[in-house]
Amino acid sequence: DAMVIQNPRYQVTQFGKPVTLSCSQTLNHNVMYWYQQKSSQAPKLLFHYYDKDFNNEADTPDNFQSRRPNTSFCFLDIRSPGLGDAAMYLCATSSGTTDGNQPQHFGDGTRLSIL
Amino acid sequence: GESVGLHLPTLSVQEGDNSIINCAYSNSASDYFIWYKQESGKGPQFIIDIRSNMDKRQGQRVTVLLNKTVKHLSLQIAATQPGDSAVYFCAENIADSWGKFQFGAGTQVVVTP
């Protein structure tokens, strides 16, 4: 089945130690998103790619970076994780259309813990 | 049972009853809306969507109603089952921001036997 796959499902890192989360998709969608979701809250958009065009949210900390080497893969890099960065990180994709109004397909997320 | 939206984050429903989950959206310029279901430990899953040129859309056991006059969206689930227990999010597109959505706070639905 076509899907969005996130690895790992659970990630533990130390305070200040860089960490990379991965997302791959078999949907061949040209738009990929990264969201942060804290407990009992809605997903919060960090950034998204339309093809290779990167779009950062104004309130996304500089500590968060992303890479998209090809259509299928997208990475979230957290350069110096703080305790406040402990959260679920969700990757999503959507097919690009002229109006952008398409459902997003989510992976099952990576739960990040900071020691 | 009926949720009054963001101020009542938990909706308890008896199995077999119909559920109504409400969502008040913020921007009158929004013209596309989605309902997602998120089970514990999983990502949000698309349920149904609706565009602003419609006021009702039906899927399998679900119906979405859109009232643009009062900026209100609802999700009705018929014959609620234990597998419907989850958090439900509405999302509205952000006008003039291609491909971006604002999520509501979510409603936890608990199905009791």
Side-chain angles (χ1 to χ4, degrees):
Chain A
D1 289 340
M3 52 198 312
V4 180
I5 302 166
Q6 292 189 243
N7 284 306
R9 291 295 315 278
Y10 302 91
Q11 176 74 57
V12 181
T13 192
Q14 292 178 331
F15 182 93
K17 185 174 181 180
V19 65
T20 295
L21 310 183
S22 301
C23 178
S24 64
Q25 55 129 341
T26 59
L27 296 159
N28 203 33
H29 284 168
N30 54 355
V31 189
M32 293 188 79
Y33 304 80
W34 279 106
Y35 287 87
Q36 179 192 65
Q37 186 178 30
K38 295 193 174 181
S39 183
S40 301
Q41 295 183 22
K44 178 181 181 298
L45 183 64
L46 296 172
F47 23 61
H48 75 282
Y49 280 91
Y50 186 107
D51 292 325
K52 287 187 177 291
D53 183 22
F54 177 71
N55 299 273
N56 198 28
E57 292 302 296
D59 58 354
T60 297
D62 292 340
N63 198 25
F64 290 83
Q65 304 285 317
S66 186
R67 295 170 284 135
R68 189 180 185 187
N70 54 53
T71 300
S72 300
F73 287 87
C74 198
F75 300 97
L76 170 62
D77 301 309
I78 308 176
R79 292 191 297 188
S80 183
L83 296 178
D85 297 328
M88 175 78 87
Y89 290 87
L90 294 164
C91 174
T93 72
S94 74
S95 60
T97 64
T98 53
D99 65 3
N101 291 333
Q102 295 293 322
Q104 295 177 357
H105 299 254
F106 285 84
D108 282 336
T110 294
R111 169 82 56 193
L112 178 66
S113 299
I114 314 294
L115 298 181
Chain B
E2 179 173 335
S3 159
V4 293
L6 304 183
H7 301 290
L8 265 179
T10 301
L11 174 65
S12 185
V13 182
Q14 196 155 17
E15 183 178 355
D17 286 353
N18 297 333
S19 303
I20 300 174
I21 307 165
N22 295 304
C23 179
Y25 64 92
S26 57
N27 191 341
S28 57
S30 296
D31 60 3
Y32 178 62
F33 306 87
I34 307 173
W35 279 101
Y36 291 97
K37 171 187 180 183
Q38 187 173 23
E39 296 176 89
S40 180
K42 295 189 175 181
Q45 176 186 7
F46 170 81
I47 302 172
I48 193 167
D49 58 0
I50 189 167
R51 297 181 188 269
S52 60
N53 60 353
M54 304 175 69
D55 53 19
K56 180 179 179 179
R57 191 160 187 231
Q58 289 184 289
Q60 187 176 11
R61 278 202 308 119
V62 294
T63 301
V64 56
L65 299 177
L66 175 62
N67 185 330
K68 295 180 287 293
T69 303
V70 295
K71 294 188 289 184
H72 184 268
L73 190 69
S74 69
L75 178 70
Q76 301 177 1
I77 305 174
T80 311
Q81 302 170 358
D84 296 326
S85 292
V87 177
Y88 290 80
F89 291 101
C90 64
E92 61 182 292
N93 69 332
I94 299 175
D96 301 324
S97 294
W98 191 97
K100 289 167 55 173
F101 293 85
Q102 177 69 48
F103 281 76
T107 298
Q108 173 84 54
V109 172
V110 177
V111 181
T112 57

